[in-house]
Structure formats: C-alpha cells, structure tokens
C-alpha cells in the first residue's frame, strides 16, 4: 500500500511569488491535513480537508489556502511569499480524520520550501 | 491552545529511561504521540483516549491523566533507535475530527 506522497520535495522561491504544493493521500483516506514545521515551533496546523470541504482551519493568514479534489488529493497554495514562510510543509492523511475514534495520521515526507 | 511539552530536549545513554510530558490548558478527548527522525516523516506511536483506552503499535508506554489534562510517554531501556523528536498531538472535546494540535516537540538523543 503506497504511503502519503508529497511533491515536490524541495522548492526555492523568491519573495512575492506564489507556490502550490501537492499531497496524494493513502488510497481510501478522505481526510487530509496540512502542517507547517519550523525549528522551535513544532507542527503548526494549517487546515484540514475532508471530502473536498475545508473542515478545520488553523491560525494562518489568508495567503495560505488549499483545496481537495474528488480523488482526495489535496493542494496547498501560498501567495505573496514572505521569508518567514520558509519551512517544511507536511501533509497527513487518515480515513475519516484523527479524532473521536482514535485514528492515527499518516504523514508524508514533506515539501521543504525556501523563500529567498 | 498548543500543548506544552517538557523537557525540550534530553540526552540519554543506551539502557536509560526517559519520560516526556505533555500538558494542555484545555480538557482533552485524546492524546496522540508521534516520533520524527531527522529528515523523515513523523511516525505514529500511540493514541490515548478519554476513558483510559490505549492504542499503540510499539513497546512504548504512556499515561493519560484526564483530570490534570496531561499525558506522559515512558521510554524504558532506551535504544539508539529511540533517538528523534517526539510530538504530542491533542484533541479537545467538541472539536472537529481532523484537528490535531501538536506541541513543539521533545528532542531525544540516545548515545552509545
């Protein structure tokens, strides 16, 4: 069974540009969550999509957006990039979401975004 | 709302024990524990549910004190392979299903 796949693995962008990251969840998983990981801050929750609908949103500016397609694949977009957006972006999938039934999340390897 | 983990870092010799704590200011429904090795994706270790049920895949134990809104992860007789950063993720009652909030992590280094 294939794991969670994130593409690309590495990206270098210039301030002011926009970027799109992709996440393919494990087959059959309908929930996809996105996290930003920076040194010292841990995993900061961005948003979660379930069946093409955003179900939860973290405390990030509107420059961060996402969507989910009918095949559960998800994309995350960051517009008007800032230096502080440099981070590892992780996505995690689960069948129905991680709560209420104790379902684990399966993480991808992440996309390392560097903004210069 | 982000849970607080302690200690931030710990260095052990092989065979020693360690305890990692996770505290929340809110009532918790469940606590998840993950380990991330350098350059790799976080990997699931254990879930502790309100009511005492535990679900885990590895020989690592944990506790969940609902009244104190705390969880502790116990690593006994540590091995080199235990090295990594440990994250707790918390879920609050009434929150939506996919909303796990993680702490900043505890970096564990096991030396020979």
């Amino acid at each position: 069974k294939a794991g969670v796949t994130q593409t690309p693995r590495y990206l270098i962008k210039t301030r002011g540009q926009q970027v799109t990251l992709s996440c393919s969840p494990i087959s059959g998983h309908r929930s996809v969550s996105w996290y930003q990981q920076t040194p010292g801050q841990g995993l900061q929750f961005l948003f979660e999509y379930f069946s093409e609908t955003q179900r939860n949103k973290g405390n990030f500016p509107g420059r961060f957006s996402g969507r989910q397609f009918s095949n559960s694949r998800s994309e995350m977009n960051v517009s008007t990039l800032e230096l502080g957006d440099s981070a590892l972006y992780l996505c995690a999938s689960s069948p129905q979401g991680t709560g209420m039934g104790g379902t684990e999340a399966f993480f991808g390897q992440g996309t390392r975004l560097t903004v210069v | 709302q982000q849970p607080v983990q302690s200690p931030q870092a710990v260095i052990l010799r092989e065979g020693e024990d360690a305890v990692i704590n996770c505290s929340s200011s809110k009532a918790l429904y469940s606590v998840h524990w993950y380990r991330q090795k350098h350059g790799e994706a976080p990997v699931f270790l254990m879930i502790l549910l309100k009511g005492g049920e535990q679900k885990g895949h590895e020989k690592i134990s944990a506790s969940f004190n609902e009244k104190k809104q705390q969880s502790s992860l116990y690593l006994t007789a540590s091995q080199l392979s235990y090295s990594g950063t440990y994250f707790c993720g918390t879920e609050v009652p009434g929150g939506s299903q996919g909303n796990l909030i993680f702490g900043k992590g505890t970096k564990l280094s096991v030396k020979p």
Side-chain angles (χ1 to χ4, degrees):
Chain A
K1 197 175 188 181
V4 178
T5 303
Q6 290 188 246
T7 56
R9 289 292 309 278
Y10 302 92
L11 264 179
I12 299 176
K13 289 286 188 179
T14 305
R15 263 185 308 174
Q17 286 186 313
Q18 75 165 17
V19 67
T20 299
L21 313 181
S22 179
C23 173
S24 293
I26 291 173
S27 178
H29 287 191
R30 296 164 65 191
S31 169
V32 174
S33 296
W34 288 89
Y35 292 88
Q36 181 193 66
Q37 186 175 28
T38 54
Q41 291 301 315
L43 298 159
Q44 304 270 54
F45 174 75
L46 281 155
F47 29 66
E48 184 235 1
Y49 285 87
F50 181 81
S51 293
E52 301 180 65
T53 301
Q54 187 181 85
R55 189 161 65 173
N56 293 288
K57 190 176 189 306
N59 192 24
F60 277 80
R63 299 186 296 108
F64 293 81
S65 63
R67 59 178 174 169
Q68 187 179 33
F69 302 94
S70 59
N71 61 358
S72 293
R73 189 176 71 85
S74 178
E75 287 182 347
M76 185 191 119
N77 185 274
V78 187
S79 63
T80 319
L81 285 165
E82 300 176 0
L83 295 178
D85 296 333
S86 295
L88 180 66
Y89 290 87
L90 293 162
C91 83
S93 78
S94 61
Q96 302 287 335
T98 52
M100 307 306 288
T103 305
E104 68 185 274
F106 295 83
F107 282 86
Q109 296 271 59
T111 294
R112 172 76 62 186
L113 173 65
T114 302
V115 182
V116 297
Chain B
Q1 197 169 357
Q2 184 178 32
V4 177
Q5 289 186 232
S6 63
Q8 291 183 345
V10 60
I11 300 174
L12 298 175
R13 293 285 181 191
E14 268 188 297
E16 291 182 337
D17 302 338
V19 180
I20 300 172
N21 300 304
C22 175
S23 297
S24 173
S25 59
K26 292 180 175 284
L28 298 175
Y29 182 83
S30 70
V31 178
H32 297 221
W33 287 96
Y34 289 79
R35 177 173 63 208
Q36 184 179 31
K37 293 182 180 285
H38 183 70
E40 299 181 8
V43 173
F44 168 79
L45 292 175
M46 177 169 289
I47 295 174
L48 299 105
L49 303 176
K50 187 176 179 180
E53 185 182 358
Q54 295 186 24
K55 299 181 184 179
H57 297 299
E58 296 189 17
K59 295 178 182 178
I60 294 175
S61 63
S63 64
F64 180 19
N65 187 321
E66 296 165 35
K67 283 187 177 179
K68 292 187 176 180
Q69 295 155 196
Q70 292 177 346
S71 176
S72 294
L73 188 71
Y74 304 96
L75 302 154
T76 56
S78 58
Q79 306 167 16
L80 294 176
S81 62
Y82 286 7
S83 293
T85 301
Y86 289 77
F87 293 97
C88 69
T90 56
E91 180 202 357
V92 298
S96 295
Q97 285 189 326
N99 197 9
L100 263 186
I101 305 299
F102 286 92
K104 293 185 179 182
T106 296
K107 186 173 181 180
L108 178 73
S109 301
V110 181
K111 308 290 185 184

